[in-house]
Amino acid sequence: MTAITRGSSRRPSPRESALQLSDPTLITVAVLTVLTLALRFSQIHQGLYGDEGFTDGDIFGRSFGSVLSDVHSGGENSPPLFFLLAWATAKLGDPTVWIRLPSIILGSATVPVVYLIGRETVGPRAGLVAGAVIALSPFSFYYGVEARPYASMAFFVAVSTWALLRAVAGSGARWWALYVVAAAAAAYCHYTCIFVLIVQSLWSLWVCRHRIWPPLISAVVAVALYIPWLPKLRGKELGVIAALEPLTAHNVITDLLRPIAGYPYAPLGAIPTRLGLGLLIALTVIGFAACAANAFGPTRVDRARGWPRRFWLLFALALATPVGMLVYSEAATDLWLARGLYASVPAAALLLGALLVAIPKPANIAAIVIVLGILAVGAFRAASPSWRRPPTRSLAAYVDRETAPSDPFAVISLFAGPGIDAQLRRSHRFATLANVWRLTTAGGKAVVALDELTAKALHIPIMPPPPAGFHLLAHRRFQSAVMPLDVGVYRRSRCGHSCAG
């Protein structure tokens, strides 16, 4: 199979575009995909954390229809597709485990789709590197396991990009149909993909301006498929995000550096480390300089090898989400979070792959190895017990084991609370910190669980001191670099408040 040279503006021939099962590159992509799936599947039993607890609450004990009708309400305010997929996979066993399956499958499937986009744009070698970036990225590793819509959204965005590239190349109406379905599916997964979808549509209208009906009809059909959901949009009610992460220059810059080599809950100095981040930025700049040197070179041969094919489309797709999110957050409701940028990660990975391949040989081999090594080390750290999600499942099992159903249980944790509640296997008498003591019967136990972040925010000690008539029976810390969790079990004396513990 003939490789498409960098900088070539011609369309690949049918022979070049055809996938050959014996192609070593294709075999490498298949192996990489299987390894990605296996690694992410090995993390499926992590404890629920953060908004994953809300996902469980949105589907547990509900019918298909109630998930569809209610997922946009309350604190969730999301499109329904991922939640319907999670509702279906939850039927396979423990819902707190199997609701992660859509993210694991579709997140892993993004690897070959990114490679296919590379074949249509920056070339097979760059596409292979980009697929490896998606497979090894600590950020993608986290959201590729998360029981939330981000990995599903990125998969459908990638499929829509690939289908659109094939469609504008004149490969047939079926590619326009696939583009429409994938674009609508991405929008039904998460709202922040809208910026990438807008850039896709505008680009197709421009490229096909002399045969404008196919892209125009496709855009209209995609919008029509989404119209039934438009009355359920409640963007202003997502303003709580601003309270969690204010829109500041520091947060914007930090979040822009996370989606490839970073990790959602680790400082950049830990993952990918300052050295790793510095090397990654330096090699990206060198690759860009190599492309620019060719594009503006003194000879026609240099200029012919300039910017990789469709480089600027990928550049626009990579910038679409951060620019769109920033403008919307400044003009309307602050929605800025690193995870909201995930729709642009496939395009960003392809850009990185193209820039690394553009570095002159043999230095580009070393550059690729260094970058993938940085990502692999980061992914290994992300999978380690220290940096994986806090052990909320172990905490819930401890509470089940150590307390009776009549013992009041207070969970004081904004991020871990919903996940702990979802993973309890016995009935418990839930309470607030204010009334947990009052609800405890003589001789009974009061249980308090909280995390350091919430304790600091509320200005309370990590283990609240027992009031008169109580004593601390047991204290257990569940260690995590992301968020340590503490559980205190208090015993109330049988003679009430008149007795000292």
Side-chain angles (χ1 to χ4, degrees):
M1 182 176 61
T2 305
I4 302 171
T5 59
R6 292 183 296 106
S8 174
S9 60
R10 66 181 178 85
R11 295 175 182 171
S13 68
R15 167 177 275 181
E16 290 173 329
S17 297
L19 294 174
Q20 303 294 328
L21 295 180
S22 60
D23 182 357
T25 303
L26 191 61
I27 294 172
T28 302
V29 172
V31 172
L32 185 62
T33 304
V34 172
L35 292 176
T36 303
L37 180 64
L39 178 61
R40 295 181 181 180
F41 197 86
S42 71
Q43 308 297 307
I44 196 172
H45 288 90
Q46 287 188 30
L48 296 184
Y49 179 64
D51 289 348
E52 290 183 308
F54 294 117
T55 300
D56 180 84
D58 290 328
I59 67 175
F60 182 72
R62 296 176 181 265
S63 65
F64 183 93
S66 65
V67 173
L68 180 62
S69 62
D70 297 341
V71 72
H72 70 284
S73 61
E76 184 57 65
N77 192 16
S78 294
L81 183 54
F82 167 80
F83 298 91
L84 296 175
L85 296 174
W87 176 86
T89 58
K91 308 298 183 184
L92 297 174
D94 183 350
T96 65
V97 173
W98 291 102
I99 57 174
R100 289 192 168 123
L101 192 59
S103 293
I104 291 173
I105 292 177
L106 296 180
S108 300
T110 305
V111 172
V113 178
V114 164
Y115 166 73
L116 292 172
I117 297 172
R119 287 176 58 90
E120 300 292 327
T121 55
V122 290
R125 287 184 62 213
L128 178 60
V129 174
V133 167
I134 294 292
L136 297 174
S137 161
F139 199 83
S140 293
F141 173 78
Y142 185 89
Y143 289 109
V145 180
E146 174 105 321
R148 298 297 292 171
Y150 304 103
S152 301
M153 170 188 65
F155 169 76
F156 288 116
V157 164
V159 172
S160 68
T161 304
W162 176 49
L164 187 61
L165 289 163
R166 299 290 293 168
V168 300
S171 298
R174 68 185 185 278
W175 292 101
W176 287 111
L178 178 59
Y179 159 67
V180 168
V181 172
Y188 271 107
C189 282
H190 200 271
Y191 296 127
T192 57
C193 70
I194 185 63
F195 306 109
V196 170
L197 299 181
I198 289 173
V199 171
Q200 287 180 350
S201 181
L202 293 176
W203 176 80
S204 67
L205 290 170
W206 170 253
V207 171
C208 300
R209 58 191 178 277
H210 301 302
R211 46 187 178 95
I212 201 168
W213 285 112
L216 186 60
I217 292 173
S218 298
V220 170
V221 173
V223 171
L225 290 175
Y226 203 68
I227 284 177
W229 192 255
L230 292 180
K232 299 177 173 60
L233 294 178
R234 300 182 298 115
K236 290 185 178 180
E237 297 187 31
L238 292 173
V240 65
I241 292 175
L244 299 176
E245 184 175 327
L247 186 65
T248 64
H250 175 270
N251 287 338
V252 169
I253 294 172
T254 301
D255 288 345
L256 287 172
L257 295 173
R258 288 192 193 280
I260 293 294
Y263 190 67
Y265 296 106
L268 293 171
I271 299 176
T273 72
R274 291 184 177 84
L275 175 60
L277 185 62
L279 288 172
L280 183 63
I281 293 173
L283 292 173
T284 300
V285 171
I286 291 171
F288 191 89
C291 287
N294 287 331
F296 300 104
T299 68
R300 184 176 300 177
V301 173
D302 288 335
R303 291 192 293 273
R305 296 200 322 265
W307 303 109
R309 175 178 164 82
R310 304 297 192 199
F311 178 88
W312 294 110
L313 168 63
L314 296 176
F315 187 83
L317 295 176
L319 283 182
T321 309
V323 171
M325 288 273 289
L326 188 59
V327 170
Y328 186 87
S329 296
E330 284 282 8
T333 304
D334 182 2
L335 304 179
W336 183 271
L337 279 176
R339 64 192 183 194
L341 309 179
Y342 201 65
S344 284
V345 165
L350 284 158
L351 277 183
L352 178 59
L355 295 176
L356 293 176
V357 169
I359 297 173
K361 296 179 180 179
N364 62 353
I365 303 298
I368 292 169
V369 171
I370 290 172
V371 168
L372 295 184
I374 291 169
L375 298 181
V377 171
F380 178 81
R381 293 201 72 190
S384 68
S386 295
W387 284 106
R388 66 179 58 166
R389 290 165 180 80
T392 55
R393 193 180 303 278
S394 298
L395 187 153
Y398 174 79
V399 172
D400 279 334
R401 185 173 63 251
E402 297 295 327
T403 64
S406 60
D407 297 329
F409 177 35
V411 183
I412 317 299
S413 177
L414 176 62
F415 296 102
I420 293 171
D421 293 349
Q423 293 167 119
L424 293 168
R425 291 295 172 260
R426 298 173 59 189
S427 298
H428 291 274
R429 191 181 182 189
F430 292 101
T432 65
L433 185 59
N435 66 10
V436 66
W437 316 111
R438 179 176 56 81
L439 295 176
T440 308
T441 60
K445 298 175 182 177
V447 185
V448 178
L450 73 167
D451 65 76
E452 284 188 353
L453 183 63
T454 303
K456 289 179 181 178
L458 296 177
H459 304 290
I460 59 176
I462 193 65
M463 272 293 97
F470 286 81
H471 69 276
L472 183 62
L473 187 66
H475 172 208
R476 175 83 176 268
R477 164 158 280 212
F478 294 84
Q479 191 60 48
S480 167
V482 174
M483 181 177 287
L485 300 167
D486 287 79
V487 178
V489 180
Y490 302 82
R491 173 81 73 182
R492 183 175 185 178
S493 61
R494 294 191 178 277
C495 53
H497 291 295
S498 61
C499 298

